Amino acid sequence: MMHISFFLLVIITGGVSCKVCSYQDVLDYLNMTVDTSVFKLTRPVLDHTHTTAVKTDLILYAILSVVEKTQTFVPFVWVTVQWKDERISWDPAQFCGITEISVPKGILWRPDLFIYEMVEKDDSPQNPYILVTHDGTVYFDEDMRVISTCKMDVHKFPFDTQECSLSIGSAIHCVKEIRIFPFSNSSRATQFSREVMKTQGEWEFLKMSVESSNISLYDRRWELLVYKVTIKRRPLLHVINFLLPILFFLILDLASFFIADHRGEKLGFKVTVLLAISVLLLILNDILPSMSNRTPLIATYCIVIFALMLLSLLETILVTYLIDKDSEDELSLCDSGEEKNKQMKTKDCSTGIKKQNGCSYKVCESEKKHELLTVDDEVNYSSHSRDTNALQLILDEQKKLQNMMHRHFGPRAERYYTMQSSAPKRR
Ligand SMILES: *[C@@H]1O[C@H](CO)[C@@H](O)[C@H](O)[C@H]1NC(C)=O
Ligand SMILES: *[C@@H]1O[C@H](CO)[C@@H](O)[C@H](O)[C@H]1NC(C)=O
Ligand SMILES: *[C@@H]1O[C@H](CO)[C@@H](O)[C@H](O)[C@H]1NC(C)=O
């Protein structure tokens, strides 16, 4: 652009004066080509009591990441810094109207500004030039990826709003040497950031406020500019990913009370649901920082649901145990009933059939009308009793045979016979 205006100037003035100016002439006039190191040596004031007024502007261009676990806030910002170098001035009229030149940023003094919260050096590409105007005002622009610490309160996670500060101040120049002022006020900064903001992922940018503050240390005071960025989390993902599934698991767990079951399937189901919740809790553990002061509400939510499910699991275990114990008692009652039947002819199990074990079982079962035993069990029992009947008959028959053998052939033959008959007996 400078070139175009320069050529225009040449065309307008035509062959009348033929004055040609270059940036080099300006630099020569300023003595910047002779010894460049002079300009970066000290603070650019002619009287040492003058303070250098530094105006800065910080614009939020993107929110790259917010990590609650490590309490890190990573925005991408544009920082504009402006100050006055009292050693530099020229008359644009003498140099064909050149009002500003850009010079390598290494040759001039720059305020030693830094961001207090920044915890890691930035390695994004740097702008190599700074702009100098004819009245000595110097402009300096920088894009930075700021990896900053930010104290985050996750009490209301995932419906939380965070406020992170970026404080800009001078490292060694105290308030008598460098004063820092904001270019734009809070509303302007917010509006401008909204206009340029490119990425808005999980976080929604709400506002940015700027205020000035002083800090003192060792009898010296530094001025700094605090930009407070307020961002709000978009909770939808966490609600879908986390809150709802946990609620669904709780509903599933409650619904499992309706599973009619006496084989431990209900127990297995409940344990599975509890394990699923534990997996979700592990995810939560990755997100939330371990904070001691205030427990996040979501942790309370999880713990309450977990506890409810644990209680229901314990209840199921208890009920299963009681049912098992109950049915065991009844079985043993029936077992002992057989023997006792002979002595005490009680009401329930003392019907006619006593000798055949199986029948007495059957009578006992049918009379007691055991609720827990299904039809399958009854079938099992009756078939079982039929088998024992048959076995009993075989046994009786065998004993008779044995006696006969003993009487007729003596002990040797008997032994032979038992060896032969033991095989089918075992079957
Ligand atoms: C440049 O240096 C010359 C000689 O040392 C001096 O006369 C002149 O004033 C200097 N120019 C500026 C702008 O300081
Ligand atoms: C902020 O600055 C703008 C102009 O840059 C101005 O119009 C507005 O009134 C200012 N707001 C406040 C609160 O000072
Ligand atoms: C910081 O100190 C300067 C110089 O003494 C003073 O003008 C300014 O008001 C102070 N700022 C605050 C926020 O106290």
Side-chain angles (χ1 to χ4, degrees):
M1 216 173 69
M2 290 320 298
H3 284 98
I4 295 167
S5 59
F6 172 69
F7 277 119
L8 277 177
L9 207 87
V10 171
I11 290 163
I12 291 163
T13 47
V16 184
S17 66
C18 272
K19 187 161 169 82
V20 174
C21 313
S22 72
Y23 297 125
Q24 185 70 41
D25 298 335
V26 180
L27 293 183
D28 283 340
Y29 169 77
L30 293 172
N31 290 340
M32 273 191 193
T33 45
V34 183
D35 186 6
T36 56
S37 69
V38 177
F39 284 88
K40 61 179 176 186
L41 273 184
T42 55
R43 198 160 58 86
V45 283
L46 298 177
D47 177 355
H48 81 282
T49 57
H50 287 183
T51 54
T52 303
V54 178
K55 280 183 155 187
T56 66
D57 211 0
L58 183 142
I59 287 156
L60 195 65
Y61 185 70
I63 298 167
L64 298 182
S65 83
V66 178
V67 187
E68 299 84 358
K69 189 86 181 161
T70 51
Q71 306 264 299
T72 314
F73 172 58
V74 187
F76 191 78
V77 295
W78 289 346
V79 182
T80 309
V81 186
Q82 179 215 298
W83 69 94
K84 198 163 168 94
D85 196 324
E86 294 180 3
R87 296 168 301 189
I88 298 175
S89 73
W90 72 89
D91 182 8
Q94 276 184 35
F95 296 96
C96 318
I98 294 178
T99 53
E100 52 186 34
I101 53 171
S102 55
V103 294
K105 69 176 183 184
I107 68 168
L108 283 184
W109 176 89
R110 277 177 297 153
D112 50 347
L113 298 183
F114 76 109
I115 295 175
Y116 281 64
E117 287 84 2
M118 196 158 161
V119 288
E120 247 178 69
K121 270 254 174 323
D122 172 44
D123 50 5
S124 52
Q126 306 260 314
N127 183 4
Y129 289 103
I130 55 181
L131 200 66
V132 182
T133 59
H134 65 92
D135 60 352
T137 312
V138 186
Y139 291 98
F140 173 51
D141 262 314
E142 193 139 38
D143 307 337
M144 283 197 287
R145 184 166 144 268
V146 183
I147 301 167
S148 66
T149 59
C150 174
K151 195 160 176 269
M152 291 178 210
D153 185 4
V154 289
H155 182 63
K156 289 185 195 156
F157 176 90
F159 302 97
D160 52 341
T161 302
Q162 305 292 351
E163 192 183 74
C164 292
S165 310
L166 297 171
S167 317
I168 300 180
S170 166
I172 57 157
H173 294 93
C174 59
V175 76
K176 271 185 274 172
E177 294 166 317
I178 284 186
R179 301 278 324 261
I180 305 175
F181 302 101
F183 250 125
S184 26
N185 55 26
S186 300
S187 54
R188 180 81 194 98
T190 303
Q191 192 197 340
F192 204 18
S193 290
R194 278 226 184 93
E195 279 167 17
V196 299
M197 182 76 88
K198 284 287 178 245
T199 63
Q200 289 203 14
E202 188 189 348
W203 295 88
E204 184 187 352
F205 171 74
L206 290 186
K207 67 177 163 78
M208 188 157 79
S209 71
V210 51
E211 63 184 41
S212 180
S213 123
N214 287 343
I215 56 163
S216 348
L217 195 67
Y218 315 124
D219 309 333
R220 282 160 69 97
R221 260 187 323 143
W222 288 268
E223 189 167 37
L224 52 115
L225 220 54
V226 184
Y227 285 89
K228 281 192 178 136
V229 180
T230 312
I231 49 176
K232 185 168 175 286
R233 191 195 301 272
R234 295 201 171 100
L236 187 67
L237 185 74
H238 291 283
V239 170
I240 291 175
N241 245 358
F242 196 82
L243 293 181
L244 285 184
I246 286 191
L247 202 65
F248 291 162
F249 279 130
L250 179 69
I251 294 171
L252 265 187
D253 189 71
L254 292 181
S256 73
F257 277 115
F258 297 110
I259 302 178
D261 156 77
H262 44 86
R263 292 262 185 286
E265 285 152 22
K266 193 152 124 189
L267 208 64
F269 180 81
K270 276 175 183 284
V271 168
T272 313
V273 173
L274 205 67
L275 282 181
I277 291 259
S278 322
V279 172
L280 283 178
L281 286 186
L282 279 185
I283 297 175
L284 187 70
N285 196 34
D286 283 344
I287 302 172
L288 294 186
S290 46
M291 305 223 305
S292 54
N293 44 3
R294 277 212 293 178
T295 323
L297 288 178
I298 193 165
T300 319
Y301 168 82
C302 290
I303 287 299
V304 166
I305 286 190
F306 200 80
L308 282 180
M309 291 172 68
L310 192 75
L311 273 183
S312 89
L313 181 63
L314 286 178
E315 186 256 18
T316 311
I317 290 175
L318 187 69
V319 167
T320 315
Y321 168 74
L322 287 179
I323 287 175
D324 281 353
K325 201 165 174 338
D326 194 37
S327 58
E328 246 172 47
D329 281 354
E330 287 187 6
L331 280 183
S332 64
L333 199 87
C334 280
D335 278 342
S336 60
E338 292 158 33
E339 286 117 44
K340 281 175 192 168
N341 276 344
K342 289 160 191 168
Q343 309 138 17
M344 37 180 237
K345 312 225 162 191
T346 41
K347 40 213 150 104
D348 268 9
C349 291
S350 61
T351 36
I353 319 136
K354 288 175 267 170
K355 210 174 178 184
Q356 276 112 345
N357 313 356
C359 282
S360 72
Y361 253 109
K362 206 178 170 188
V363 168
C364 217
E365 288 306 321
S366 59
E367 280 200 359
K368 292 223 156 182
K369 285 197 169 79
H370 201 294
E371 293 164 17
L372 290 162
L373 292 179
T374 54
V375 181
D376 277 359
D377 286 317
E378 300 255 348
V379 168
N380 277 345
Y381 266 116
S382 54
S383 65
H384 176 239
S385 64
R386 237 180 282 130
D387 286 354
T388 35
N389 272 351
L391 278 175
Q392 190 72 35
L393 284 176
I394 291 171
L395 203 69
D396 287 351
E397 209 60 31
Q398 197 204 345
K399 268 183 186 156
K400 264 186 233 161
L401 261 176
Q402 216 170 345
N403 285 343
M404 225 159 66
M405 285 278 194
H406 189 68
R407 238 177 284 134
H408 287 264
F409 303 104
R412 227 180 118 201
E414 188 198 353
R415 209 181 303 135
Y416 171 75
Y417 176 76
T418 39
M419 269 165 67
Q420 289 276 306
S421 66
S422 62
K425 224 173 94 186
R426 225 178 275 147
R427 223 188 292 144

